[in-house]
Amino acid sequence: MEQRVSLITLGVPNVAEAAGFYEQLGWRRADSPDGVVAFDLISQTLGLYPLEALAEDIGLPVSELGHGAMTLSYNTRTVEEVAALLDKAEAAGATILRPAGEVFWGGTIGYFRAPDGHIWEIAHNPFSPLAEDGAFRWNGYDS
């Protein structure tokens, strides 16, 4: 198995509402079959899928899927973008869980809960600068 994630699928109670939230953040849909919404990312895709259908695919009842202790993270190019993106997410319907602020390791982070319940971290990591195309690597890219 190669060391990568190709697709992140979020089980959401209302696909249309969830898609609208991400579109309000400025994301654009990729062509996909009915019942699935996909947003192509840099080398990955974020898929939105009905929660009940995801549970059926997995073979578990919705009640057993729970909410794992996991965040989706978006890294920014600048410190200022962290607060700006949190504001944009809140305007689109998200709940701010932690406003932008410095953290012990020298970066700036904030968290929001999307209307579908998934938690996102917005972060600026000065030790992991993004590639020109926005790609992220743990220790950054050479300039």
Side-chain angles (χ1 to χ4, degrees):
M1 181 175 184
E2 294 177 24
Q3 190 167 303
R4 63 180 157 80
V5 173
S6 302
L7 174 65
I8 300 164
T9 301
L10 304 179
V12 297
N14 186 312
V15 172
E17 286 180 13
F21 171 76
Y22 292 104
E23 289 171 335
Q24 287 183 59
L25 294 180
W27 290 21
R28 292 183 310 273
R29 292 185 196 200
D31 289 335
S32 59
D34 287 342
V36 178
V37 172
F39 296 95
D40 282 332
L41 311 174
I42 298 168
S43 78
Q44 295 147 357
T45 297
L46 178 75
L48 304 177
Y49 196 59
L51 185 58
E52 294 79 13
L54 182 61
E56 183 179 327
D57 285 352
I58 295 169
L60 292 173
V62 170
S63 62
E64 287 188 35
L65 292 183
H67 295 284
M70 180 193 89
T71 62
L72 300 165
S73 297
Y74 178 92
N75 279 53
T76 64
R77 296 178 194 285
T78 67
V79 170
E80 295 78 18
E81 286 179 277
V82 176
L85 286 174
L86 290 169
D87 289 345
K88 189 170 190 173
E90 185 173 37
T95 301
I96 302 303
L97 302 174
R98 177 179 175 166
E102 294 180 6
V103 289
F104 71 93
W105 49 264
T108 301
I109 65 169
Y111 289 93
F112 70 81
R113 184 188 317 269
D116 58 33
H118 293 93
I119 296 175
W120 283 81
E121 173 192 35
I122 306 298
H124 176 259
N125 184 337
F127 309 108
S128 296
L130 302 178
E132 189 174 316
D133 67 357
F136 175 83
R137 184 180 291 159
W138 186 253
N139 290 310
Y141 286 87
D142 294 330
S143 298

